[in-house]
Amino acid sequence: MTKKDVTDVALKGKVVLVRADFNVPMKDGEITNDNRIVQALPTLQYILEQGGKVVVFSHLGKVKEESDKEKLSLAPVAKRLSEKLDKEVTFIPETRGEKLETAIEALNEGDVLMFENTRFEDVDGKKESKNDPELGKYWASLGDVFVNDAFGTAHREHASNVGISTHLETVAGFLMEKEIKFIGGVVENPDKPVVAILGGAKVSDKIGVIENLLNIADKVLIGGGMAYTFLKAQGKEIGLSLLEADRIDFAKDLLERAGDQIVLPVDGKVAKEFSNDAEITTVSMDEIPADQESLDVGPETVELFKKQLEGAKTVVWNGPMGVFEFSNFAQGTIGVCEAIAELKDATTIIGGGDSAAAAMQLGFEEDFTHISTGGGASLEYLEGKELPGIKAIANK
């Protein structure tokens, strides 16, 4: 089902409510990575060019009590957005009330206003997170059109996405549209052959994704901490490597059903301690010492995965191959990243989270067709679930 986007509605002179995902990492009140702000710019610039009056809002972190508000204000985000747009962004440190309403009424075409963190409404009964109908209705009353560009919260049914859409025509922003096209495209109609690469720590986090991707992908390559539960299911000695003992039967069953569709690592980098300075040995996955843990896949696994990627038309990657935060255990993730980046005739997609962070950190941002901005949302989308935030967008 094709969704309406921001180009499908008249915007001139309209107050356009834009739900963005500005849940950016902060340290001591400073933004440490503004990628999510940058990703929202095309939608905001388009609305401004069309003569819309922009009211943009977002959540930031988790707000459970009054004391959380101090460090989770969107004021620094408004300042950074102003710099990126090269125009003044009026910041109203309220989530409702006369001050906010008056400021919106005073907007001229081409003006931008941002109001406070939507999760400030969670302090009094989780009104935002539990999609309080009155709050959704109130926020909807502030504008004429609703543009949802926050894919990162599409898997949540909140007042600031689903609640507003109950009362206002809702269209996708350009970022949301891109996520639907690429992540949704993997699930609904990918170019074959499809290769999925899954990593990260836990099998339990990705059960639904693995199950669904086995229906879609020609090969599912598994690395990262989650691989050792599968290797244990094959009867291998995994030493002190990460293990989810309660998932061994699931892994065993999956391996029996999938056959050679699932590809596991063949070698790994082992150490006696969880440290970047630990002494490293590269061993076959059949020879992990009982008193050591594997913290990354080895060079033979990278070569094996490269071979599996040959000729792929669609590649989706979610989760690092090892403890990539430690430079000495980042080689597997770097190798897989390079292998995907070198595929010139394939649609290459990173499904958010740690693998997106890794690709950016390692300088591969430009080499992928699409890097998702949503961790949890992209995982649930890859599971084949219908996301409430996308369902709420009007169909063409």
Side-chain angles (χ1 to χ4, degrees):
M1 190 72 78
T2 335
K3 297 289 183 180
K4 281 191 178 180
D5 66 52
V6 66
T7 64
D8 292 317
V9 282
L11 301 169
K12 188 168 172 58
K14 302 278 177 72
V15 175
V16 185
L17 303 177
V18 181
R19 173 57 160 106
D21 180 8
F22 291 153
N23 188 25
V24 292
M26 308 268 284
K27 194 174 181 188
D28 305 322
E30 294 293 322
I31 296 165
T32 56
N33 182 332
D34 63 9
N35 178 53
R36 286 183 167 176
I37 297 171
V38 171
Q39 295 292 334
L41 296 176
T43 298
L44 299 175
Q45 282 160 338
Y46 176 79
I47 297 166
L48 295 172
E49 284 161 14
Q50 299 300 308
K53 308 169 184 182
V54 173
V55 176
V56 63
F57 50 99
S58 173
H59 75 288
L60 177 63
K62 286 183 177 161
V63 185
K64 292 175 179 174
E65 49 196 47
E66 199 65 36
S67 60
D68 294 332
K69 289 183 175 181
E70 198 178 329
K71 59 180 185 293
L72 290 172
S73 170
L74 279 176
V77 176
K79 185 169 176 281
R80 183 67 59 90
L81 180 62
S82 176
E83 290 162 10
K84 294 288 179 188
L85 283 172
D86 197 22
K87 70 183 290 129
E88 187 192 349
V89 173
T90 304
F91 180 66
I92 304 294
E94 317 275 341
T95 51
R96 59 168 100 200
E98 197 179 330
K99 188 178 174 186
L100 176 59
E101 291 155 27
T102 305
I104 292 172
E105 279 164 24
L107 291 175
N108 295 312
E109 290 181 14
D111 284 352
V112 184
L113 175 147
M114 181 186 279
F115 68 76
E116 191 53 280
N117 185 346
T118 59
R119 288 199 181 156
F120 278 19
E121 289 284 347
D122 277 356
V123 173
D124 179 20
K126 293 204 165 180
K127 290 187 168 69
E128 155 72 317
S129 298
K130 289 194 171 167
N131 190 15
D132 177 74
E134 286 308 310
L135 181 60
K137 187 178 180 182
Y138 171 74
W139 279 336
S141 74
L142 300 173
D144 305 308
V145 180
F146 179 39
V147 177
N148 189 352
D149 211 20
F151 177 71
T153 61
H155 58 316
R156 308 276 186 224
E157 197 167 321
H158 287 175
S160 65
N161 58 2
V162 176
I164 295 175
S165 68
T166 314
H167 305 279
L168 267 188
E169 181 174 25
T170 302
V171 298
F174 294 134
L175 178 58
M176 179 72 89
E177 183 190 37
K178 217 162 120 185
E179 299 277 10
I180 293 169
K181 177 184 169 185
F182 287 112
I183 307 274
V186 170
V187 178
E188 284 153 31
N189 190 23
D191 280 349
K192 294 274 201 175
V194 178
V195 177
I197 306 171
L198 296 175
K202 292 179 174 179
V203 179
S204 51
D205 291 345
K206 305 225 165 104
I207 286 176
V209 178
I210 300 168
E211 296 264 23
N212 198 42
L213 286 175
L214 283 172
N215 298 324
I216 298 163
D218 297 86
K219 293 284 182 183
V220 176
L221 319 182
I222 295 178
M226 63 191 282
Y228 303 100
T229 299
F230 284 91
L231 293 165
K232 186 78 173 173
Q234 288 182 330
K236 294 188 195 294
E237 166 64 67
I238 62 162
L240 305 174
S241 308
L242 211 55
L243 172 69
E244 285 182 280
D246 61 337
R247 300 295 178 193
I248 293 173
D249 287 344
F250 166 77
K252 205 176 280 184
D253 173 57
L254 208 61
L255 289 169
E256 279 170 17
R257 280 191 281 141
D260 65 357
Q261 201 181 348
I262 289 179
V263 181
L264 295 171
V266 290
D267 65 340
K269 292 185 173 179
V270 301
K272 284 189 173 175
E273 55 195 69
F274 188 81
S275 158
N276 195 40
D277 305 319
E279 195 178 317
I280 299 167
T281 318
T282 302
V283 299
S284 153
M285 285 303 186
D286 293 312
E287 295 166 358
I288 297 175
D291 64 342
Q292 297 193 32
E293 65 177 313
S294 181
L295 297 171
D296 192 13
V297 298
E300 284 183 30
T301 300
V302 173
E303 285 309 310
L304 171 67
F305 284 9
K306 262 186 190 171
K307 204 157 187 51
Q308 299 294 333
L309 286 164
E310 284 172 13
K313 289 291 181 205
T314 304
V315 178
V316 60
W317 172 35
N318 189 294
M321 297 293 103
V323 188
F324 82 98
E325 299 88 344
F326 292 162
S327 57
N328 290 331
F329 297 104
Q331 299 313 306
T333 301
I334 293 169
V336 166
C337 212
E338 284 174 343
I340 304 170
E342 282 163 14
L343 298 171
K344 294 302 168 221
D345 299 324
T347 299
T348 53
I349 298 155
I350 300 184
D354 285 340
S355 34
M360 289 177 192
Q361 207 172 302
L362 301 166
F364 289 99
E365 201 171 341
E366 302 302 316
D367 298 307
F368 286 81
T369 312
H370 179 62
I371 298 180
S372 178
T373 52
S378 63
L379 273 180
E380 289 197 19
Y381 213 177
L382 288 171
E383 276 183 50
K385 289 182 178 173
E386 185 174 46
L387 306 188
I390 292 177
K391 187 185 176 185
I393 296 166
N395 296 320
K396 284 204 183 197

